[in-house]
C-alpha cells in the first residue's frame, strides 16, 4: 500500500514507520513525505532513507483549502493511496478529510477522546489522571477525532514531568503507529458505524493492548 506521511517537525514517528516499512514482509511502502515546514528534522530521515520529500509552506497559500489541494495533488502524483499524519500540526479542511476518508490516519499522544489538541502532556499532568497513552485513529473533520484503531496505555508516575511522560508515551507511539498501518495495509481494518473492527480480533483483545 503506497503511503504518504505528513510531518511538521522532529519526525520520530516517521522514523518508526520508515523502519517498519524496511522490514521485508511489511505491507506498506512510504513513497512521499510532505512537511509544511522547510526545517522539519523529519525531512532528513526521509532523505537518508531515499524517500521523496516535498515542502509545502502553508504560509504561501491563500487559504487552507488551496494548501490542502496542493497536498492532495502531490500525494496523488506520487501514486500514494493512503496518508499517515505523523506529528502534522495543521488542521485539515473538510474537503481534504472527505476526499481521503478512511485512507487518512493520525497519531495523538493521549487516550482519545481525552486531551485533544495542544499541550497534551501538561494538561494530562494537571488533570491528575493515573493512566494516559496514545491513539492511532482515522481522521474526521474535528481535530483529533475519529474511529480508534489502536491505543497504548502509559502509567503516569508521581514524579513525572511533561518531558518524562512525553518520552514514555512516544516509545509506545513508535509501536502502535506501524502496527496500525500494517493492519490496514493487510486489509484487516474496517470502519462500521464509526467504530473500527479488526479482522480476526474480537475487541477488546489483549493483543491490541500495549502491543510490543
Ligand atoms: C507526537 O507525540 C505525536 O503524537 C504528536 O506530535 C508528536 C510528533 O512527534 N501529534 C499530535 O499532537 C497531533 N495532534 P514526532 O515528530 O517525533 O513524530
Amino acid at each position: 500500500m503506497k503511503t504518504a506521511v505528513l510531518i511538521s517537525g522532529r519526525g520520530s514517528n516517521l522514523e518508526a514507520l520508515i523502519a517498519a516499512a524496511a522490514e521485508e514482509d511489511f505491507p506498506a511502502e512510504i513513497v512521499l513525505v510532505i512537511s509544511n515546514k522547510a526545517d522539519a528534522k523529519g525531512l532528513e530521515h526521509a532523505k537518508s532513507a531515499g524517500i521523496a520529500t516535498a515542502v509545502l509552506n502553508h504560509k504561501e497559500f491563500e487559504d487552507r483549502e488551496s494548501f490542502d489541494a496542493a497536498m492532495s495533488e502531490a500525494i496523488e502524483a506520487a501514486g500514494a493511496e493512503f496518508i499517515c499524519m505523523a506529528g502534522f500540526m495543521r488542521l485539515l479542511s473538510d474537503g481534504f478529510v472527505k476526499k481521503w476518508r478512511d485512507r487518512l490516519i493520525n497519531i495523538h499522544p493521549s487516550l482519545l477522546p481525552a486531551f485533544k489538541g495542544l499541550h497534551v502532556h501538561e494538561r494530562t499532568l494537571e488533570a491528575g489522571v493515573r493512566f494516559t497513552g496514545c491513539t492511532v485513529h482515522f481522521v474526521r473533520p474535528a481535530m483529533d477525532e475519529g474511529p480508534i484503531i489502536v491505543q497504548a496505555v502509559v502509567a503516569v508516575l508521581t514524579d513525572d514531568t511533561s518531558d518524562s511522560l512525553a518520552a514514555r508515551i512516544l516509545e509506545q507511539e513508535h509501536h502502535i503507529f506501524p502496527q496500525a498501518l500494517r493492519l490496514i495495509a493487510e486489509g484487516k481494518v474496517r470502519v462500521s458505524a464509526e467504530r473500527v473492527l479488526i479482522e480476526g480480533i474480537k475487541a477488546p483483545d489483549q493483543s491490541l493492548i500495549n502491543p510490543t
Side-chain angles (χ1 to χ4, degrees):
M1 186 174 73
K2 290 196 166 140
T3 302
V5 182
L6 310 183
I7 62 167
S8 296
R10 181 178 54 188
S12 72
N13 277 291
L14 167 65
E15 265 189 294
L17 292 172
I18 291 173
E23 288 164 23
E24 210 172 299
D25 69 336
F26 198 80
E29 181 196 358
I30 301 167
V31 294
L32 176 67
V33 173
I34 297 180
S35 172
N36 64 317
K37 299 214 165 136
D39 60 355
K41 217 176 135 226
L43 288 169
E44 299 311 314
H45 303 315
K47 283 179 192 154
S48 54
I51 297 167
T53 60
V55 174
L56 293 174
N57 180 352
H58 57 274
K59 291 180 187 150
E60 287 168 7
F61 290 81
E62 203 169 297
D63 51 26
R64 199 175 293 283
E65 284 70 23
S66 51
F67 172 73
D68 287 1
M71 282 206 299
S72 273
E73 208 174 293
I75 292 163
E76 284 174 331
E81 54 201 308
F82 195 84
I83 307 170
C84 292
M85 293 168 67
F88 184 68
M89 303 310 260
R90 296 232 2 117
L91 291 175
L92 296 166
S93 59
D94 287 1
F96 185 90
V97 173
K98 197 169 170 199
K99 179 181 171 75
W100 294 98
R101 190 182 169 94
D102 296 344
R103 297 185 297 149
L104 172 63
I105 62 175
N106 178 46
I107 187 150
H108 184 75
S110 74
L111 291 175
L112 291 174
F115 307 114
K116 296 171 180 171
L118 297 174
H119 310 297
V120 177
H121 307 104
E122 288 83 351
R123 288 188 289 124
T124 300
L125 290 174
E126 257 167 46
V129 294
R130 300 305 193 224
F131 290 97
T132 180
C134 45
T135 304
V136 181
H137 64 96
F138 285 107
V139 173
R140 295 294 182 256
M143 182 186 54
D144 298 324
E145 208 171 282
I148 291 166
I149 306 157
V150 190
Q151 292 185 307
V153 175
V154 172
V156 181
L157 306 178
T158 321
D159 57 357
D160 258 332
T161 61
S162 55
D163 284 349
S164 65
L165 183 58
R168 288 205 313 290
I169 293 173
L170 199 61
E171 220 176 285
Q172 294 303 320
E173 293 185 41
H174 298 163
H175 288 304
I176 67 169
F177 212 178
Q179 190 199 24
L181 184 60
R182 172 188 280 280
L183 287 167
I184 292 165
E186 286 173 346
K188 290 184 175 161
V189 175
R190 196 157 58 83
V191 182
S192 168
E194 289 300 81
R195 288 185 65 191
V196 168
L197 303 174
I198 300 176
E199 194 187 295
I201 292 174
K202 280 189 193 146
D205 179 285
Q206 207 58 36
S207 74
L208 286 181
I209 298 171
N210 289 2
T212 53

